[in-house]
Amino acid sequence: MIAGYRGASTTRRRSRDTIFPMGIEKLWTKSRNDRLVDPVIQADLDAEWERVKQSLDHLGDRAKATCAAIIYNTVARPLVPIRHRRTSEFAPAKQMIAGAVDSTTKTLALVTHVLSTSGRATKYGVRRALVI
Amino acid sequence: MTDDLHNIDPAITEAVLANAAAFIDADTRIDEIISWGKNELKAREEQLKAKDGSLQDFKKAAADIELLVSEKLRHLEAEVRAKYPGDS
């Protein structure tokens, strides 16, 4: 053992314990626990959680709509003759008929539901049914 | 729902059904990314509580995760767009 080591350590601990009688670690833990149950902080935390959840859900919904539009525009849009009201020219491919994605999603929801309930989902690579 | 089905051109329904797996896959992967983001934030919250972090730290972590989720979704959209180039 190194001479004087034990004594020095004990002295340091004693002086710290004089300033913080309950021990500094316990004091920190206490203040942290006090903050965790503080209703104002808890309310702020809840509000932030709610904001983030809504933001993430919004991002997810937007991505779903975009992906549905991308797939729809490639596989089904060429089959839909859309004409401009005045010129009777075909509309550009970017333009989608109103409700096309909705109809597509509803069709898929019904089909995946039928596949799932009849036990054929795995065969067609459907992992779960869409829920409308 | 079945009424809606009658209003769809059979050719369109067929084309869409042929790609049903792609729709479902994108939908599932998006849900997974969103769940990942929420779980990650929960884990960060626990870490911050253990480390005595502040509300500002939590807000920063939340912003970071929103950014990560946004990037993952953009990557997924790019992947779908590469497979289905007819949208461009």
Side-chain angles (χ1 to χ4, degrees):
Chain A
M1 181 184 285
I2 302 166
Y5 176 78
R6 191 186 170 91
S9 172
T10 312
T11 312
R12 193 162 55 241
R13 192 185 311 133
R14 192 174 298 139
S15 69
R16 195 181 66 184
D17 289 351
T18 315
I19 302 167
F20 303 110
M22 66 190 298
I24 194 155
E25 288 82 5
K26 280 184 185 169
L27 187 74
W28 275 342
T29 308
K30 185 181 180 303
S31 69
R32 186 185 69 207
N33 289 341
D34 285 348
R35 277 203 295 276
L36 287 178
V37 295
D38 183 326
V40 177
I41 293 175
Q42 199 55 55
D44 281 348
L45 199 63
D46 289 346
E48 183 64 11
W49 251 113
E50 194 55 36
R51 189 196 67 74
V52 176
K53 268 185 197 166
Q54 281 183 6
S55 166
L56 291 180
D57 288 340
H58 174 71
L59 284 173
D61 290 345
R62 209 178 54 185
K64 282 180 187 184
T66 307
C67 287
I70 291 169
I71 298 170
Y72 177 87
N73 277 339
T74 305
V75 303
R77 171 64 185 79
L79 303 168
V80 185
I82 305 173
R83 291 172 189 276
H84 284 305
R85 248 179 274 166
R86 289 184 186 170
T87 63
S88 78
E89 290 291 318
F90 283 109
K94 272 273 184 187
Q95 259 183 16
M96 290 179 63
I97 54 170
V101 172
D102 276 357
S103 307
T104 305
T105 315
K106 280 175 183 166
T107 311
L108 283 168
L110 184 66
V111 170
T112 52
H113 177 72
V114 171
L115 289 177
S116 300
T117 49
S118 62
R120 286 175 293 165
T122 318
K123 186 182 172 187
Y124 290 96
V126 175
R127 280 195 270 177
R128 65 173 178 75
L130 285 174
V131 179
I132 301 292
Chain B
M1 197 186 284
T2 42
D3 288 343
D4 291 328
L5 273 179
H6 292 306
N7 296 328
I8 302 170
D9 184 334
I12 296 172
T13 309
E14 202 174 309
V16 168
L17 289 183
N19 292 276
F23 276 99
I24 307 289
D25 189 51
D27 190 82
T28 309
R29 283 175 67 190
I30 290 166
D31 281 346
E32 282 170 1
I33 291 171
I34 300 302
S35 296
W36 174 85
K38 288 177 183 173
N39 290 337
E40 190 69 15
L41 188 60
K42 190 77 197 155
R44 296 269 191 101
E45 185 191 8
E46 294 303 323
Q47 275 178 6
L48 284 172
K49 277 181 179 174
K51 282 184 187 170
D52 200 17
S54 67
L55 188 67
Q56 288 307 314
D57 293 334
F58 178 73
K59 285 184 176 176
K60 193 183 171 305
D64 288 347
I65 286 165
E66 275 181 78
L67 201 66
L68 277 171
V69 167
S70 179
E71 272 175 26
K72 278 173 184 271
L73 290 176
R74 212 175 305 134
H75 185 75
L76 175 65
E77 282 174 22
E79 227 176 90
V80 174
R81 208 178 287 277
K83 269 188 197 169
Y84 294 88
D87 187 51
S88 54

